Amino acid sequence: MPERGTRTVFVGGEVFDGSRAAPVAADVVIEGGRIVAVGAGLDGDVAVDATGRAILPGLMDCHVHVMVDSVDLMAHLQRPFSYAFYLAIGHLAAMLDCGITTVRDAGGADLGVKQAVEDGLIEGPRMKTAISILGQTGGHTDGWQPSGIDASLFPPHPGRPDPIVDGPDEMRRKVRELVRAGADVIKICTSGGVVSPRDDPRHAHFGADELGVCVAEASAAGISVMAHAQGAAGIKNAIRAGIRSIEHGIYLDDEAIDMMLDAGTFLVPTLSAPQAVIDAAAAGAALPDVVVAKAHEVVTVHRESFAKAVAAGVRIAMGTDSGVGRHGDNLTELALMTGAGMKPDEVLVAATRTAAELLGVDRELGTIEPGKRADLVLVDGDPFDVAALKSNISAVYKDGRRVR
């Protein structure tokens, strides 16, 4: 790694700056972990030959779960509690291999995981964390089973508050507990889900009073709210409450799309997730029949809803729900997005600039321009060949340091 203060220049590459502009021939100079210049004929102390390569901003995945590696219930029940922390080390490394230098963990990772990355104890993308996923009794994060066993994927511990909440007063306390625990974002389930066997993704969860308190308390702490929202009614309730992003958005209708456009709400589609459940079941994962049936029911309508949102101009930020699917396969989401109507350049913007806007880090990340953090991905060949993007990545830099 170059010494601090060393000017490193990437020479001869084609720069995709995070806007929809076509890549242009330019050199990029970094120093002290920052981009200091972009242009022609630049020099530095150390040169990196980028001839024949595209230079992209570091990619972002706005919806991951680094503490899990599958939805196989039996596998989770057989593992010791602390095992998940060791799994996370490999998961974070696998995402760096994809050129992903920033993630938002949408439930599971606590402050210790994030701090371990920040301190350099483990290697991985920088993290924003939700810690616990708030759900109502009988909702998406309620692990109660008919046997009486609680099979929650993310059992509570001192750094991860219990996620079940009912009523405005409990909501106020729970959001405050999450803020105390170090959450960067509050995640709440405004509908049922696919992998939870005791609810229906089309049904709305939480009342307006509960959602209002959630958003107010988060706002008072200077953070935003993301909503697991799959059914149309739950999506609309989230938008009315002022929630910043809709996660999944499976059953979007025209009214919900219009509301998102009016409010400026982001959509994080996670098209990979239902297919990952289907693939896991086919591979023998221990999943309730009802979960597999729901995955089959939603996979097509999910893509159709996403296509409508894209056509209407909804702001899209890339997210995969990795953990449901395999960490390291994150970039398969890009091909699914193009298959459902997004152009390749739009997909790369969704994974860079728009993702940074959603996460509130766009002053530091998401584009290649002077002053930004030096998160760069070097790609052999055509960067718009998103289906081959992972295999074409030749180097990944985070804060100016080559990490892959």
Side-chain angles (χ1 to χ4, degrees):
M1 184 180 75
E3 295 180 4
R4 187 171 183 84
T6 300
R7 287 171 59 93
T8 300
V9 56
F10 296 82
V11 180
E14 297 278 325
V15 175
F16 177 80
D17 64 3
S19 71
R20 287 195 61 192
V24 296
D27 302 331
V28 179
V29 179
I30 64 174
E31 183 179 0
R34 298 271 176 179
I35 300 166
V36 296
V38 181
L42 303 179
D43 58 15
D45 304 309
V46 176
V48 175
D49 185 4
T51 304
R53 299 173 181 172
I55 305 174
L56 313 181
L59 305 177
M60 301 184 187
D61 190 330
C62 298
H63 194 124
V64 304
H65 297 283
V66 304
M67 302 294 283
V68 293
D69 63 348
S70 77
V71 289
D72 188 323
L73 180 59
M74 188 56 66
H76 289 287
L77 291 176
Q78 294 299 311
R79 287 173 176 166
F81 170 79
S82 59
Y83 193 87
F85 291 89
Y86 297 95
L87 279 177
I89 297 171
H91 298 161
L92 290 161
M95 288 187 281
L96 278 181
D97 291 340
C98 299
I100 295 170
T101 57
T102 302
V103 297
R104 181 174 62 173
D105 187 273
D110 65 7
L111 181 59
V113 180
K114 175 184 173 182
Q115 189 169 329
V117 174
E118 290 178 346
D119 291 349
L121 187 63
I122 59 177
E123 193 171 57
R126 66 179 57 78
M127 299 179 69
K128 298 285 187 179
T129 58
I131 302 181
S132 299
I133 309 169
L134 300 184
Q136 66 184 37
T137 297
H140 185 54
T141 57
D142 188 343
W144 182 91
Q145 302 295 321
S147 64
I149 293 173
D150 187 324
S152 299
L153 287 179
F154 307 119
H157 68 74
R160 189 164 63 203
D162 189 309
I164 306 304
V165 57
D166 296 291
D169 290 340
E170 285 188 15
M171 181 68 72
R172 182 173 291 107
R173 175 177 290 277
K174 192 63 62 176
V175 173
R176 290 175 180 177
E177 287 179 357
L178 284 167
V179 171
R180 180 180 65 185
D184 301 298
V185 61
I186 302 299
K187 183 180 178 185
I188 190 167
C189 299
T190 65
S191 79
V194 171
V195 298
S196 42
R198 308 298 298 174
D199 59 24
D200 189 316
R202 293 165 295 189
H203 294 168
H205 289 181
F206 288 118
D209 54 349
E210 295 166 306
L211 296 179
V213 168
C214 179
V215 172
E217 286 296 328
S219 298
I223 61 177
S224 62
V225 181
M226 59 190 293
H228 162 102
Q230 298 185 349
I235 292 168
K236 293 171 192 176
N237 288 345
I239 299 166
R240 292 187 189 102
I243 287 173
R244 184 169 174 81
S245 67
I246 300 299
E247 312 293 309
H248 316 303
I250 290 173
Y251 291 100
L252 284 168
D253 61 19
D254 291 341
E255 181 185 18
I257 289 171
D258 287 341
M259 291 172 66
M260 293 182 77
L261 292 170
D262 289 342
T265 311
F266 292 82
L267 174 64
V268 182
T270 70
L271 297 172
S272 307
Q275 188 61 52
V277 173
I278 294 168
D279 293 344
L287 289 168
D289 291 343
V290 65
V291 169
V292 181
K294 285 193 286 185
H296 280 285
E297 288 171 7
V298 305
V299 67
T300 299
V301 69
H302 192 185
R303 294 177 186 178
E304 292 172 348
S305 293
F306 172 72
K308 288 197 298 184
V310 170
V314 171
R315 291 197 287 179
I316 309 293
M318 198 277 275
T320 62
D321 218 356
S322 68
V324 175
R326 218 166 60 105
H327 299 284
D329 288 345
N330 304 61
L331 300 192
T332 61
E333 181 78 13
L334 306 184
L336 292 174
M337 293 165 78
T338 57
M342 284 191 92
K343 297 177 181 178
D345 59 337
E346 295 173 329
V347 168
L348 291 183
V349 171
T352 53
R353 188 185 67 188
T354 307
E357 291 169 354
L358 169 59
L359 301 187
V361 296
D362 49 304
R363 291 187 177 183
E364 295 277 297
L365 297 160
T367 57
I368 295 177
E369 56 185 306
K372 295 286 183 77
R373 289 176 178 262
D375 282 17
L376 303 172
V377 181
L378 273 60
V379 177
D380 295 328
D382 182 5
F384 296 149
D385 182 5
V386 295
L389 187 61
K390 182 181 177 181
S391 62
N392 288 339
I393 291 173
S394 59
V396 181
Y397 292 78
K398 177 187 169 191
D399 284 330
R401 184 175 71 89
R402 184 167 179 168
V403 292
R404 285 296 181 271

